[in-house]
Amino acid sequence: MNIGWPEVIGILFLVILLFGSTKLPEAARSVGRSMRIFKSEMKEMSEDNNPNQLPASNPAQLQQPVQQTQPVEQPAQPSTNQVNPQPPQGQA
């Protein structure tokens, strides 16, 4: 099945007619973002499948020693127990 130029022009005309010229750039941007995300996820998955290969994104990070940190103690908070005076009682 061959799609010629008249069919492509007809399809483009229908798309512009249905969505309008203002929505098409937004749709193209969102498709571009989606493709970028999809490609990066596919690349990440292929790197996960090959554990022997070092990631080329930041090899200096692999050479830095891991620093262990001690947990920081929280300072003691002062007690907030305040004496609340009782409200005056009404006369009976």
Side-chain angles (χ1 to χ4, degrees):
M1 178 172 163
N2 288 335
I3 297 178
W5 284 107
E7 289 86 5
V8 171
I9 292 172
I11 292 171
L12 289 175
F13 178 74
L14 287 175
V15 168
I16 291 173
L17 186 65
L18 289 174
F19 295 108
S21 61
T22 58
K23 296 283 185 180
L24 289 178
E26 294 172 18
R29 274 191 288 275
S30 65
V31 168
R33 284 187 205 123
S34 300
M35 289 300 294
R36 234 179 286 126
I37 291 170
F38 180 74
K39 286 180 182 180
S40 67
E41 291 295 326
M42 291 299 292
K43 183 178 179 182
E44 186 177 314
M45 286 178 60
S46 67
E47 289 174 357
D48 288 344
N49 289 338
N50 192 357
N52 295 332
Q53 183 180 6
L54 294 176
S57 61
N58 195 356
Q61 184 180 14
L62 297 175
Q63 296 173 354
Q64 293 177 352
V66 177
Q67 297 178 357
Q68 295 181 355
T69 59
Q70 297 290 333
V72 178
E73 293 183 22
Q74 297 292 330
Q77 295 183 357
S79 176
T80 58
N81 294 339
Q82 296 178 351
V83 177
N84 292 332
Q86 294 184 358
Q89 296 185 6
Q91 296 177 5

